[in-house]
Amino acid sequence: MELKIGVVGLGNCGGQIAALAKEEGFSAVAINVSGDDVKTLEDKVSSIIIGNQMGSGKNREMGKKYGKESIMKILQKDSFRKVIDDAQLVFVCYSMGGGTGAALGPMMTAMLKAKFSDEDPAARKRFINIAVLPDIGESLQAQENALATFRELVSYESCYGIYDNNKYSGKGSLADMMKSVNREIVEDFKVIRGDYNLTSEYTQIDAMDMLNTMSFNGMFRICTIVGFNTKDLDNKTIEQLLIDNMNNHSAGCEIERDKTVGCIAVIANVREDVAAHVIMNMPDIHALVGEANADYSHYYAIKDDETDNFLKNRVHVILTGLSVPDDRLAKIRQRIDEARANTKKVKQSAVLSEFTDAENRVEQATQEKKLDADSVLDMF
């Protein structure tokens, strides 16, 4: 099984994800308002520049303005249509804390979903938001952008993936954090594409199964363990390792603990020595996230003579139809409230308040005449 997947990157974050996806064989295109951002993508991925090429300065309203002016033209561009027309599923990627991606992401996904709707499930294209939350320590503006973007994202029924820079905060440099998150996003794309769904005589997830998995409304998460062996299973089960990965060692947004899940899909490629440890119906996962409406499984037994490094023990669990992560959004709301309160605590300068002569001259001049450029300079 291999799905045809397209990647549309919006803004700087989305563009970097699109470039990385292109390296991994995905059809991709980047869209940006900033000419400087696009320069970092030269020779990596096809790019489209809209607006004034100066960027949106993290201003979502400016980004929306450029998007509304340009979106119909973008849809007609050959470089963009090639990504869409050839795909069964399209990921629209962006940062929620910026201006361009946060403004265009929900708008672009909704427009594509409306324009390419089809009653036939096999012919219908799926469009999925892939959005990256800002580190909780980022600016008030970034947090407000994220909350506003999330509100728009969930306002229409769709499957979406949320990744969180905060999960890797403090674990290396800013560059390391962003690269780690972007690599993990593209690795999840590979799982969904079917890169690890090796042809099996046992049970398989085919292309339609994966499309169905990714059709449940709500958030999706993928938890992964790769390269483990029997020694790693001395103290923890495979499910415990997967849950630990989901909670502590991956960039995916924390899930809401309300036991709501639409679908659980399990992909397992394992050697004989760990095969007995694999329970494909994942009871511990179900106990954590709830009973799913649908489930799919793919099991491949790695043979002893298969020594390719690609064939490591690996298990992926795809969860879709998860609830809005209110616990994480509450942290953004708290950060916004704290930041707004701090802006009201700007200390007045005791030193400047002593300069009453200058203050009186400004006040007198303002009362006497309308200020123009020359009269302002005359006051000092």
Side-chain angles (χ1 to χ4, degrees), residues 216 219 258-264 285-286 289-294 318-323:
F216 281 81
M219 190 175 79
D258 61 353
K259 294 185 180 296
T260 298
V261 62
C263 180
I264 299 178
I285 299 289
H286 280 276
V289 303
E291 293 300 319
N293 296 323
I318 307 171
L319 309 171
T320 61
L322 297 167
S323 298

Side-chain angles (χ1 to χ4, degrees), residues 20-31:
L20 188 58
K22 183 75 173 178
E23 289 181 15
E24 294 291 345
F26 293 90
S27 178
V29 64
I31 301 170

Side-chain angles (χ1 to χ4, degrees), residues 3-174:
L3 285 181
K4 295 179 181 178
I5 291 178
V7 177
V8 176
L10 305 175
N12 184 49
C13 173
Q16 300 301 326
I17 295 170
L20 188 58
K22 183 75 173 178
E23 289 181 15
E24 294 291 345
F26 293 90
S27 178
V29 64
I31 301 170
N32 210 315
V33 176
S34 170
D36 289 338
D37 286 349
V38 169
K39 288 178 183 178
T40 68
L41 302 176
E42 289 179 354
D43 302 323
K44 294 180 181 179
V45 65
S46 177
S47 301
I48 300 170
I49 306 178
I50 63 174
N52 62 6
Q53 301 192 27
M54 294 174 62
S56 58
K58 294 188 181 296
N59 186 325
R60 288 183 76 248
E61 294 309 311
M62 184 180 294
K64 283 186 178 183
K65 175 179 178 293
Y66 293 143
K68 290 176 181 178
E69 292 172 352
S70 307
I71 195 164
M72 298 311 296
K73 294 177 183 178
I74 293 171
L75 293 180
Q76 300 305 317
K77 284 188 173 290
D78 291 342
S79 58
F80 184 85
R81 287 303 297 261
K82 178 171 174 44
V83 172
I84 305 302
D85 291 344
D86 293 344
Q88 296 165 291
L89 185 153
V90 177
F91 292 113
V92 180
C93 311
Y94 53 92
S95 164
M96 296 179 109
T100 302
L104 295 181
M107 179 195 306
M108 175 69 75
T109 311
M111 177 66 78
L112 290 170
K113 187 177 179 182
K115 189 171 179 62
F116 294 94
S117 61
D118 198 302
E119 294 300 319
D120 181 359
R124 186 187 312 136
K125 297 180 185 294
R126 275 72 170 177
F127 298 97
I128 296 178
N129 284 275
I130 300 294
V132 180
L133 286 169
D135 185 332
I136 202 69
E138 287 191 43
S139 69
L140 170 62
Q141 186 177 31
Q143 309 303 325
E144 290 180 331
N145 283 349
L147 210 57
T149 305
F150 218 123
R151 187 182 299 114
E152 292 177 2
L153 185 156
V154 300
S155 64
Y156 64 96
E157 294 184 344
S158 179
C159 179
Y160 56 86
I162 306 297
Y163 295 80
D164 192 350
N165 281 342
N166 201 59
K167 296 288 284 289
Y168 287 144
S169 179
K171 300 177 181 179
S173 67
L174 178 65

